[in-house]
Amino acid sequence: GEAKKRIVRIGSFRTMEEAEKARNEAQYKADKGLRLVSSALTVEDHFRSWIGLHALSVKPSTGRGYVSIVETKIIPKLGRLPISKLKTHHLEEFYAYLLREGKKGGIPLSTRSVEQAKTVLKLGLDNAVKVAKLIPQNPALEVKTPKVKNKKNILWTTEQVQTFLNY
């Protein structure tokens, strides 16, 4: 049979130029196989939907860790953003925030914890690109995690070790 054309209503526009731009963008997305996503769909909406299923496909402890990262790190800082508007600069700011004050009480997170958050973000955004087809590309792939200078270990002398052990 013949393929039916589906009419998708995008919205109203102030000018013909805005309408044509929206039409062209919608056509581009359709050509790329992307869904026309409501601008109201947020990072929180996608990550809550994704993590519920993804947590079931990994070890239980890994799933709990991923859920925790989504609930305590990603959603509080990025959740309100429309997923279609999420850009690399938002992620750079997010990683910097985590390294500066990402734990409860404004305590910096370790580089390892930030890398774990980055992994979860990458996985969730990969799903948004490849499975849900909400965004054309994964902004997390372009972002390098800021590095934190490691604290230097202080070496104790034999005398200091003895004092400590005898305390």
Side-chain angles (χ1 to χ4, degrees), residues 54-93:
H54 186 72
L56 299 174
S57 68
V58 294
K59 288 193 278 183
S61 60
T62 303
R64 284 191 299 276
Y66 285 5
V67 168
S68 175
I69 289 168
V70 167
E71 295 291 338
T72 64
K73 308 286 183 281
I74 296 170
I75 289 174
K77 288 308 273 182
L78 301 171
R80 290 188 174 173
L81 271 171
I83 195 156
S84 61
K85 303 283 187 216
L86 185 66
K87 304 292 179 221
T88 55
H89 73 90
H90 295 115
L91 301 180
E92 288 167 346
E93 291 167 8

Side-chain angles (χ1 to χ4, degrees), residues 37-58:
V37 178
S38 163
S39 59
L41 185 76
T42 63
V43 170
E44 177 176 1
D45 296 331
H46 173 67
F47 272 83
R48 283 197 191 282
S49 168
W50 168 76
I51 196 62
L53 295 173
H54 186 72
L56 299 174
S57 68
V58 294

Side-chain angles (χ1 to χ4, degrees), residues 78-139:
L78 301 171
R80 290 188 174 173
L81 271 171
I83 195 156
S84 61
K85 303 283 187 216
L86 185 66
K87 304 292 179 221
T88 55
H89 73 90
H90 295 115
L91 301 180
E92 288 167 346
E93 291 167 8
F94 174 65
Y95 299 143
Y97 162 80
L98 293 178
L99 287 167
R100 219 178 31 253
E101 55 186 300
K103 253 187 195 173
K104 280 185 181 174
I107 298 166
L109 273 182
S110 69
T111 305
R112 184 173 186 276
S113 293
V114 175
E115 287 294 339
Q116 288 171 331
K118 185 176 181 180
T119 297
V120 174
L121 258 172
K122 273 186 179 178
L123 290 170
L125 293 173
D126 271 348
N127 175 272
V129 173
K130 296 174 184 169
V131 178
K133 299 198 182 302
L134 301 175
I135 52 178
Q137 60 199 38
N138 184 342

